[in-house]
Amino acid sequence: MIEQPPTQPLNEAETPAPSELLAADEPATQPPAPSEADSVDGGDTWVSRLIEAARTGTELDLTSLGGSRDPAEADQWPAERTVPAAAIRTALLTRDLNADPHGLRLHGAHITGQLDFENATIPCELALGLCTFAQPILMNSSHLPALTLTGSHTPGLDLDQATIKGVVDLRHITTTGEISATGVTIGQLVMTGATLTKETGVALNLAGATVD
């Protein structure tokens, strides 16, 4: 089934608190605060932390490091909440990752650079909730079990020809560019409370999409 986004953003009173958007099955673990250099430059520090989180199923909730939980205020977040997109890619494409069934769950991160999983096979579920992205997310022709971007802000999302066996959870996502999912094959698409805007053209393209 496909849940279409409303034509107008939800009123604040109708929108769940950001805390309700986080996974509730396990308590989040507060990550150790990296140094500012590690946060900004990425390097092996974030790669190691993300690999460990994926292997153990530990949820990394960076909102505990200070600043607002609202991605619209990411410019006021501390540097410790900055995660390079390249570190996420490297972690999830690590050979013999042996990820936990919960996959990688990262919340409240300011993700710099472009998250690029074009043509990639991601071996576990990926949840990036309440995050903000500097550039559009590229996941065209990718393969993964499930994708969650609940409450996140991104300038665009490319899912063209991707295969996602489970749920694509875009509840309360905010985009300022196109979500393109032409020819995508997914198990379920959820977009309740999504706010999609684009100055020209379409904000959501599902041409040829298959939803099982």
Side-chain angles (χ1 to χ4, degrees):
M1 61 180 284
I2 299 177
E3 297 188 15
Q4 294 291 354
T7 56
Q8 296 294 330
L10 294 179
N11 295 329
E12 183 175 355
E14 299 173 314
T15 304
S19 60
E20 297 178 12
L21 302 179
L22 298 178
D25 55 342
E26 294 181 6
T29 299
Q30 177 172 340
S35 67
E36 182 171 341
D38 288 333
S39 300
V40 175
D41 299 333
D44 294 336
T45 300
W46 268 116
V47 172
S48 298
R49 183 174 288 113
L50 293 167
I51 289 175
E52 179 68 13
R55 285 176 172 169
T56 62
T58 302
E59 179 182 279
L60 293 178
D61 182 5
L62 304 191
T63 64
S64 61
L65 299 178
S68 168
R69 299 174 67 86
D70 186 354
E73 300 176 0
D75 58 344
Q76 301 175 32
W77 289 355
E80 290 80 7
R81 290 175 64 175
T82 299
V83 180
I88 299 174
R89 174 184 168 85
T90 298
L92 289 180
L93 299 185
T94 295
R95 182 176 298 179
D96 299 324
L97 179 60
N98 295 321
D100 182 270
H102 288 298
L104 178 61
R105 297 180 292 170
L106 175 65
H107 298 284
H110 175 46
I111 299 174
T112 58
Q114 187 160 51
L115 188 60
D116 184 355
F117 282 110
E118 181 178 359
N119 297 313
T121 297
I122 302 173
C124 62
E125 297 186 7
L126 175 59
L128 301 171
L130 297 175
C131 293
T132 182
F133 296 83
Q135 298 182 40
I137 303 167
L138 300 181
M139 303 196 75
N140 47 309
S141 300
S142 62
H143 293 74
L144 68 158
L147 175 65
T148 297
L149 296 171
T150 308
S152 291
H153 290 203
T154 177
L157 173 62
D158 187 349
L159 293 174
D160 291 347
Q161 305 299 322
T163 300
I164 303 173
K165 296 179 180 179
V167 177
V168 175
D169 189 346
L170 304 180
R171 288 175 299 148
H172 301 282
I173 194 173
T174 296
T175 62
T176 54
E178 183 179 2
I179 294 180
S180 183
T182 62
V184 71
T185 300
I186 58 177
Q188 183 181 8
L189 176 62
V190 183
M191 300 188 69
T192 306
T195 301
L196 312 181
T197 59
K198 191 172 185 289
E199 290 186 1
T200 59
V202 298
L204 175 63
N205 189 348
L206 293 171
T210 299
V211 181
D212 296 333

